Amino acid sequence: IAHPKWCDFMLFELFKRQHELKEKDTTNVAFAMLLLAAVERQHLASEGVTPLPGVPSDGVAVVPVLYPFDKHAGVASSMLDVTNRSRRSLTYPAIFQLQTIELFMKLIVPGVYTEMRQDLKVLLAKARKVNVAVDDHMQQSSRLHRKISQWFTRVGLHHRSEVALGPFFLDMVIGDKVVVEIDGPSHFYRDTNSRTAGSL
């Protein structure tokens, strides 16, 4: 890190203003801290320092805590706490970031993960269970479409979303013969029953 004092200052400011940040912002901050630690790890490796667990003579593995987690583990926890309060409205990118954060913390800074509050570990564990391997076009689907898809999945109805058929996309296909089209509000002009040109 070329300017650790600047990074320290920014993390301190973000910590002070955490109540002003939205879940998307706080997840990005925690993810950025992970990226800073990855850069620090790479830098140490290039200098011949092994940033991996070492085994001293007493046999207990010692894992060095990387910057910024060595000084600012509380900032990461605070950011994840804000994210946790908005967990019901997380986006796919935020969930993907949380999955990456959990993996990184468990493997690279396990001491920080171990000291984390239980509710934050639960948040990360729940994020891990979400399947974010969704086609790009599914992310662009309407909220109504995604909600119906979730309910179909919950009741065990196997279906495929956004299935290409020639130049068209079918919203959902159940089996080989049933097609479900979901025309949410975005398919109509505001306060009318008239379809938009793009939904015809």
Side-chain angles (χ1 to χ4, degrees), residues 68-137:
F69 293 102
D70 58 347
K71 295 180 177 179
H72 304 289
V75 174
S77 291
S78 295
M79 296 298 133
L80 290 173
D81 187 47
V82 173
T83 300
N84 191 27
R85 283 184 248 140
S86 301
R87 67 186 170 273
R88 297 200 185 280
S89 60
L90 293 174
T91 63
Y92 281 117
I95 292 169
F96 180 75
Q97 285 179 326
L98 289 172
Q99 291 173 343
T100 307
I101 289 167
E102 182 195 36
L103 183 63
F104 183 89
M105 291 181 105
K106 280 183 163 182
L107 296 175
I108 307 301
V109 286
V112 174
Y113 180 81
T114 302
E115 295 297 318
M116 189 180 294
R117 288 190 343 243
Q118 185 62 29
D119 62 323
L120 301 181
K121 290 179 185 177
V122 169
L123 168 71
L124 296 174
K126 285 182 177 181
R128 180 180 357 111
K129 293 179 181 177
V130 175
N131 181 9
V132 293
V134 179
D135 295 331
D136 290 339
H137 48 268

Side-chain angles (χ1 to χ4, degrees), residues 7-194:
C7 289
D8 291 343
F9 172 78
M10 290 305 298
L11 289 169
F12 182 70
E13 284 298 311
L14 288 165
F15 178 76
K16 284 192 328 190
R17 297 171 186 228
Q18 64 184 289
H19 62 280
E20 300 171 22
L21 301 174
K22 299 204 180 310
E23 143 288 308
K24 176 181 158 189
D25 303 320
T26 57
T27 307
N28 282 335
V29 170
F31 191 74
M33 290 179 72
L34 169 151
L35 295 175
L36 286 171
V39 168
E40 181 71 9
R41 186 171 191 261
Q42 184 63 35
H43 174 71
L44 289 172
S46 71
E47 290 185 345
V49 177
T50 305
L52 297 174
V55 182
S57 58
D58 63 2
V60 178
V62 176
V63 180
V65 178
L66 299 167
Y67 181 86
F69 293 102
D70 58 347
K71 295 180 177 179
H72 304 289
V75 174
S77 291
S78 295
M79 296 298 133
L80 290 173
D81 187 47
V82 173
T83 300
N84 191 27
R85 283 184 248 140
S86 301
R87 67 186 170 273
R88 297 200 185 280
S89 60
L90 293 174
T91 63
Y92 281 117
I95 292 169
F96 180 75
Q97 285 179 326
L98 289 172
Q99 291 173 343
T100 307
I101 289 167
E102 182 195 36
L103 183 63
F104 183 89
M105 291 181 105
K106 280 183 163 182
L107 296 175
I108 307 301
V109 286
V112 174
Y113 180 81
T114 302
E115 295 297 318
M116 189 180 294
R117 288 190 343 243
Q118 185 62 29
D119 62 323
L120 301 181
K121 290 179 185 177
V122 169
L123 168 71
L124 296 174
K126 285 182 177 181
R128 180 180 357 111
K129 293 179 181 177
V130 175
N131 181 9
V132 293
V134 179
D135 295 331
D136 290 339
H137 48 268
M138 184 61 185
Q139 291 183 33
Q140 303 303 320
S141 294
S142 71
R143 178 176 288 197
L144 177 63
H145 181 159
R146 290 192 305 270
K147 194 166 225 54
I148 291 171
S149 179
Q150 288 173 346
W151 281 106
F152 279 4
T153 301
R154 284 182 184 169
V155 299
L157 188 58
H158 177 72
H159 64 284
R160 294 173 291 155
S161 290
E162 299 291 347
V163 177
L165 180 65
F168 305 104
F169 277 97
L170 306 175
D171 285 344
M172 291 185 192
V173 176
I174 302 169
D176 293 331
K177 297 184 182 193
V178 178
V179 174
V180 178
E181 275 299 307
I182 301 163
D183 292 337
S186 64
H187 290 267
F188 300 93
Y189 289 108
R190 188 177 183 145
D191 299 326
T192 71
N193 289 333
S194 299

